[in-house]
Amino acid sequence: MFGKACDFNELRQGKYEVAVVNRILHMIVWPTRGEPRAFHGMCPHANEPLADARFDGETLTCAHHDWAFSSETGACIKGQPCTLREFPLKIENDEVLVDIGDFAPNGPC
Ligand code: FES
């Protein structure tokens, strides 16, 4: 079931927004080359929030220990092999909606 993450006009290409949908932290990332995507907002390394991550329009880099993730796939490109969990995202009536499905916040990535 989709829930509202933010208004579309809050997003900027090459930037990200932090949003909470159904009590789960999300990174709404808009790559320089691509469409907005929704990733789980907790880093798979040590389960720290990605809310302070650096983003150059392509790579999301965790502020805690510098693991880096592709904003197009969520794949870890610096750190141990893993992938940020991605959630379906759609834009309707100028609202950004994310579907968390049956994701359990304390479950595996
Ligand atoms: S918690 Fe993100 S790199 Fe360690």
Side-chain angles (χ1 to χ4, degrees), residues 37 39 55 58-60 68-77 84:
R37 311 181 82 91
F39 294 105
F55 185 47
E58 293 182 16
T59 302
L60 196 63
F69 304 89
S70 164
S71 63
E72 295 181 25
T73 65
C76 183
I77 54 179
L84 291 178

Side-chain angles (χ1 to χ4, degrees), residues 42-50 61-69 78:
M42 302 302 286
C43 181
H45 171 225
N47 207 33
E48 296 283 352
L50 287 164
T61 303
C62 180
H64 297 279
H65 312 99
D66 290 332
W67 281 29
F69 304 89
K78 180 184 172 198

Side-chain angles (χ1 to χ4, degrees), residues 79-93:
Q80 299 290 319
C82 64
T83 303
L84 291 178
R85 174 136 181 174
E86 185 171 5
F87 297 90
L89 178 153
K90 65 181 180 180
I91 298 166
E92 283 184 357
N93 301 320

Side-chain angles (χ1 to χ4, degrees), residues 4 6 8 19 41 44 55 67-68 72 74-75 78 82 84 88 94 98 100 109:
K4 182 179 176 181
C6 62
F8 181 69
F55 185 47
W67 281 29
E72 295 181 25
K78 180 184 172 198
C82 64
L84 291 178
D94 292 325
V98 174
I100 66 161
C109 294

Side-chain angles (χ1 to χ4, degrees), residues 5-18:
C6 62
D7 291 323
F8 181 69
N9 66 12
E10 294 177 77
L11 299 182
R12 297 286 179 267
Q13 195 159 19
K15 305 286 184 186
Y16 68 79
E17 282 292 321
V18 177

